[in-house]
Amino acid sequence: VSTQSTGKKVVSYEMKRYVTDGVKQLPMARPDAGVERLACGEFEIETGQAFCIDVRVTSGGGDLKRTALPTNVYKRRVETTYLLKNQSGVKTVRDIDGRFPTFQFAMRQLRDQRTAPIGMRQMLEHELVEPFEVLCDRKKNSVIATVRFTALVLNQRTVCITPIEMPNLDGIVLPAGVPELLSRDAEKHEAGIPALLLEAKPEDMAED
Protein backbone atom coordinates (compact mmCIF):
# COMPACT_ATOMS: atom_id res chain seq x y z
CA VAL A 1 0.00 0.00 0.00
CA SER A 2 1.41 3.38 -0.97
CA THR A 3 1.86 6.03 1.69
CA GLN A 4 -0.11 8.55 -0.36
CA SER A 5 -2.89 8.42 -2.92
CA THR A 6 -4.93 10.94 -4.83
CA GLY A 7 -8.68 10.75 -4.28
CA LYS A 8 -9.93 8.45 -7.05
CA LYS A 9 -13.33 10.08 -7.53
CA VAL A 10 -12.26 13.69 -7.17
CA VAL A 11 -12.71 15.90 -10.24
CA SER A 12 -12.01 19.54 -11.02
CA TYR A 13 -14.51 21.67 -12.91
CA GLU A 14 -14.29 24.35 -15.55
CA MET A 15 -15.50 27.69 -14.21
CA LYS A 16 -17.49 30.36 -16.01
CA ARG A 17 -19.24 33.50 -14.87
CA TYR A 18 -21.64 32.56 -12.07
CA VAL A 19 -20.89 28.85 -12.64
CA THR A 20 -18.38 27.09 -10.37
CA ASP A 21 -19.00 23.55 -11.61
CA GLY A 22 -19.21 23.63 -15.39
CA VAL A 23 -19.69 20.76 -17.84
CA LYS A 24 -16.00 20.10 -18.51
CA GLN A 25 -14.26 18.07 -15.81
CA LEU A 26 -10.68 17.02 -15.07
CA PRO A 27 -10.10 13.77 -13.15
CA MET A 28 -7.53 14.23 -10.40
CA ALA A 29 -6.30 10.62 -10.60
CA ARG A 30 -5.94 8.00 -13.30
CA PRO A 31 -9.16 5.94 -13.37
CA ASP A 32 -8.93 2.25 -12.55
CA ALA A 33 -9.48 -0.27 -15.31
CA GLY A 34 -13.17 -0.71 -16.09
CA VAL A 35 -14.20 2.54 -14.42
CA GLU A 36 -16.70 4.55 -16.45
CA ARG A 37 -15.22 7.70 -17.95
CA LEU A 38 -16.54 11.17 -17.21
CA ALA A 39 -19.70 12.16 -19.04
CA CYS A 40 -18.01 15.20 -20.61
CA GLY A 41 -15.58 12.95 -22.54
CA GLU A 42 -12.22 14.15 -23.82
CA PHE A 43 -11.66 17.82 -24.64
CA GLU A 44 -8.83 20.24 -25.34
CA ILE A 45 -7.90 22.85 -22.76
CA GLU A 46 -8.03 26.25 -24.45
CA THR A 47 -6.59 29.66 -23.68
CA GLY A 48 -8.88 31.75 -21.55
CA GLN A 49 -10.49 28.87 -19.70
CA ALA A 50 -10.58 28.81 -15.90
CA PHE A 51 -10.73 25.71 -13.71
CA CYS A 52 -11.41 25.15 -10.04
CA ILE A 53 -8.66 22.67 -9.15
CA ASP A 54 -9.63 20.36 -6.31
CA VAL A 55 -6.79 18.15 -5.03
CA ARG A 56 -7.28 15.67 -2.21
CA VAL A 57 -4.37 13.50 -1.12
CA THR A 58 -4.77 10.77 1.48
CA SER A 59 -2.42 8.49 3.38
CA GLY A 60 -4.89 5.67 2.70
CA GLY A 61 -5.85 3.97 -0.54
CA GLY A 62 -7.51 6.98 -2.14
CA ASP A 63 -11.03 5.49 -2.02
CA LEU A 64 -13.02 8.29 -0.44
CA LYS A 65 -16.49 8.01 1.06
CA ARG A 66 -19.01 10.35 2.61
CA THR A 67 -19.24 10.57 6.38
CA ALA A 68 -22.12 11.35 8.71
CA LEU A 69 -20.31 14.45 9.98
CA PRO A 70 -22.39 17.61 9.52
CA THR A 71 -21.32 20.27 7.05
CA ASN A 72 -21.84 24.02 7.25
CA VAL A 73 -21.06 24.81 3.60
CA TYR A 74 -23.77 24.74 0.92
CA LYS A 75 -24.56 25.91 -2.59
CA ARG A 76 -27.92 26.95 -4.01
CA ARG A 77 -29.39 24.65 -6.68
CA VAL A 78 -30.45 27.30 -9.16
CA GLU A 79 -32.24 24.75 -11.35
CA THR A 80 -34.58 23.67 -8.51
CA THR A 81 -37.57 25.71 -7.38
CA TYR A 82 -40.07 25.02 -4.60
CA LEU A 83 -42.34 27.33 -2.66
CA LEU A 84 -41.71 26.77 1.03
CA LYS A 85 -44.64 27.44 3.32
CA ASN A 86 -42.88 27.88 6.67
CA GLN A 87 -41.76 31.44 7.41
CA SER A 88 -38.29 30.31 8.52
CA GLY A 89 -37.77 28.57 5.20
CA VAL A 90 -39.10 31.50 3.18
CA LYS A 91 -36.81 33.91 5.04
CA THR A 92 -33.76 31.69 4.54
CA VAL A 93 -34.45 31.22 0.82
CA ARG A 94 -34.86 34.96 0.37
CA ASP A 95 -31.55 35.63 2.15
CA ILE A 96 -29.65 33.03 0.09
CA ASP A 97 -31.18 34.03 -3.26
CA GLY A 98 -30.37 37.66 -2.57
CA ARG A 99 -26.72 37.25 -1.49
CA PHE A 100 -25.56 33.76 -2.56
CA PRO A 101 -27.56 32.87 -5.70
CA THR A 102 -24.77 30.87 -7.37
CA PHE A 103 -21.70 30.66 -5.14
CA GLN A 104 -21.01 28.64 -2.01
CA PHE A 105 -21.79 30.01 1.42
CA ALA A 106 -21.41 28.99 5.06
CA MET A 107 -24.22 28.82 7.59
CA ARG A 108 -22.57 31.51 9.72
CA GLN A 109 -22.95 33.98 6.82
CA LEU A 110 -26.75 33.87 6.95
CA ARG A 111 -28.25 36.93 8.58
CA ASP A 112 -30.81 35.33 10.90
CA GLN A 113 -28.95 32.65 12.84
CA ARG A 114 -32.08 31.84 14.84
CA THR A 115 -34.23 30.75 11.89
CA ALA A 116 -31.45 29.66 9.49
CA PRO A 117 -31.09 26.05 10.82
CA ILE A 118 -34.83 25.44 10.45
CA GLY A 119 -34.93 27.01 7.01
CA MET A 120 -31.87 25.06 5.86
CA ARG A 121 -33.46 21.75 6.87
CA GLN A 122 -36.47 22.59 4.74
CA MET A 123 -34.30 23.56 1.79
CA LEU A 124 -32.33 20.30 2.08
CA GLU A 125 -35.56 18.31 2.23
CA HIS A 126 -36.72 19.82 -1.07
CA GLU A 127 -33.21 19.78 -2.64
CA LEU A 128 -33.00 23.56 -2.94
CA VAL A 129 -29.39 23.53 -1.73
CA GLU A 130 -26.46 21.19 -2.24
CA PRO A 131 -24.37 20.32 0.84
CA PHE A 132 -20.60 19.96 0.60
CA GLU A 133 -20.20 16.62 2.37
CA VAL A 134 -17.29 15.76 4.64
CA LEU A 135 -15.24 12.92 3.10
CA CYS A 136 -12.89 10.37 4.59
CA ASP A 137 -10.78 7.49 3.30
CA ARG A 138 -12.21 4.00 3.64
CA LYS A 139 -8.97 2.98 5.31
CA LYS A 140 -9.22 3.77 9.00
CA ASN A 141 -6.95 6.36 10.62
CA SER A 142 -6.04 7.88 7.26
CA VAL A 143 -5.07 11.53 6.93
CA ILE A 144 -6.58 13.61 4.10
CA ALA A 145 -5.17 16.91 2.82
CA THR A 146 -7.36 19.11 0.59
CA VAL A 147 -6.15 21.96 -1.60
CA ARG A 148 -8.49 23.99 -3.81
CA PHE A 149 -7.55 26.91 -6.03
CA THR A 150 -8.52 28.65 -9.29
CA ALA A 151 -6.28 28.18 -12.32
CA LEU A 152 -6.43 30.41 -15.41
CA VAL A 153 -5.08 29.13 -18.74
CA LEU A 154 -3.05 31.79 -20.57
CA ASN A 155 -1.14 31.69 -23.84
CA GLN A 156 2.20 30.57 -22.45
CA ARG A 157 1.42 29.29 -18.97
CA THR A 158 -1.21 28.27 -16.45
CA VAL A 159 -1.58 30.70 -13.56
CA CYS A 160 -2.86 30.09 -10.07
CA ILE A 161 -4.88 33.24 -9.36
CA THR A 162 -5.88 32.22 -5.83
CA PRO A 163 -2.55 31.17 -4.28
CA ILE A 164 -2.62 29.36 -0.96
CA GLU A 165 -0.09 30.13 1.74
CA MET A 166 1.18 27.09 3.59
CA PRO A 167 0.48 27.27 7.33
CA ASN A 168 3.30 27.66 9.84
CA LEU A 169 3.67 24.22 11.44
CA ASP A 170 6.43 25.18 13.87
CA GLY A 171 5.62 23.86 17.33
CA ILE A 172 2.57 21.88 16.13
CA VAL A 173 2.52 18.15 16.84
CA LEU A 174 1.28 16.42 13.69
CA PRO A 175 -0.39 12.97 13.59
CA ALA A 176 1.79 9.94 12.97
CA GLY A 177 2.80 9.64 9.33
CA VAL A 178 2.06 13.24 8.35
CA PRO A 179 5.65 14.57 8.68
CA GLU A 180 6.83 11.81 6.35
CA LEU A 181 4.18 12.77 3.78
CA LEU A 182 5.17 16.43 3.93
CA SER A 183 8.85 15.68 3.47
CA ARG A 184 8.50 13.47 0.41
CA ASP A 185 9.90 14.67 -2.89
CA ALA A 186 7.36 16.97 -4.56
CA GLU A 187 7.93 15.28 -7.92
CA LYS A 188 6.30 12.10 -6.60
CA HIS A 189 3.10 14.02 -5.89
CA GLU A 190 2.62 14.91 -9.56
CA ALA A 191 1.88 11.35 -10.71
CA GLY A 192 -1.62 11.13 -12.07
CA ILE A 193 -2.31 14.87 -11.81
CA PRO A 194 -3.00 16.87 -15.03
CA ALA A 195 -0.41 19.28 -16.38
CA LEU A 196 -2.84 22.09 -15.54
CA LEU A 197 -1.59 21.87 -11.96
CA LEU A 198 1.90 23.07 -12.83
CA GLU A 199 2.64 25.95 -10.51
CA ALA A 200 2.86 29.52 -11.79
CA LYS A 201 3.11 32.84 -10.02
CA PRO A 202 0.11 35.21 -10.02
CA GLU A 203 2.28 38.14 -11.08
CA ASP A 204 3.00 36.30 -14.35
CA MET A 205 -0.48 37.28 -15.54
CA ALA A 206 0.70 40.78 -16.29
CA GLU A 207 3.25 39.46 -18.76
CA ASP A 208 0.71 37.79 -21.09
Side-chain angles (χ1 to χ4, degrees):
V1 179
S2 62
T3 57
Q4 60 169 19
S5 300
T6 303
K8 296 179 181 179
K9 298 180 181 180
V10 178
V11 297
S12 295
Y13 291 92
E14 180 189 15
M15 301 179 66
K16 293 186 177 181
R17 189 177 186 183
Y18 304 129
V19 180
T20 58
D21 50 355
V23 176
K24 296 180 180 179
Q25 304 174 21
L26 297 172
M28 292 293 97
R30 292 189 179 93
D32 296 333
V35 175
E36 184 178 355
R37 292 184 176 272
L38 297 176
C40 65
E42 296 184 359
F43 63 92
E44 291 187 4
I45 297 177
E46 302 175 353
T47 301
Q49 288 182 320
F51 290 85
C52 177
I53 304 300
D54 190 355
V55 181
R56 300 180 189 182
V57 180
T58 170
S59 59
D63 191 7
L64 305 182
K65 67 174 183 178
R66 297 174 181 174
T67 69
L69 296 174
T71 180
N72 290 315
V73 181
Y74 301 86
K75 187 182 71 169
R76 179 74 164 90
R77 290 181 181 268
V78 295
E79 71 279 4
T80 305
T81 58
Y82 185 87
L83 297 179
L84 298 177
K85 298 176 177 61
N86 186 281
Q87 282 302 112
S88 296
V90 172
K91 191 173 184 179
T92 304
V93 170
R94 188 181 297 118
D95 185 14
I96 294 173
D97 286 349
R99 299 194 296 137
F100 313 105
T102 55
F103 296 113
Q104 299 88 339
F105 62 92
M107 283 287 292
R108 67 175 181 272
Q109 293 178 279
L110 299 181
R111 285 177 174 149
D112 193 336
Q113 291 295 309
R114 183 178 59 86
T115 61
I118 302 175
M120 187 59 64
R121 284 198 296 270
Q122 296 178 34
M123 295 184 70
L124 285 169
E125 180 180 351
H126 297 286
E127 298 182 346
L128 296 177
V129 290
E130 177 183 349
F132 281 69
E133 290 97 348
V134 180
L135 303 178
C136 71
D137 197 291
R138 292 187 182 275
K139 183 179 178 182
K140 292 184 178 180
N141 301 322
S142 298
V143 178
I144 298 179
T146 299
V147 177
R148 182 179 288 115
F149 60 91
T150 302
L152 180 63
V153 182
L154 302 180
N155 290 327
Q156 303 297 328
R157 59 179 64 84
T158 299
V159 179
C160 172
I161 61 175
T162 55
I164 302 173
E165 295 184 5
M166 293 299 295
N168 185 3
L169 301 179
D170 294 341
I172 298 178
V173 179
L174 299 174
V178 174
E180 289 75 10
L181 289 178
L182 295 176
S183 63
R184 292 177 66 90
D185 190 343
E187 294 181 358
K188 296 181 181 180
H189 292 281
E190 296 180 2
I193 298 179
L196 185 66
L197 297 183
L198 295 180
E199 183 179 0
K201 298 180 180 179
E203 53 267 26
D204 291 339
M205 293 182 63
E207 301 178 4
D208 286 78

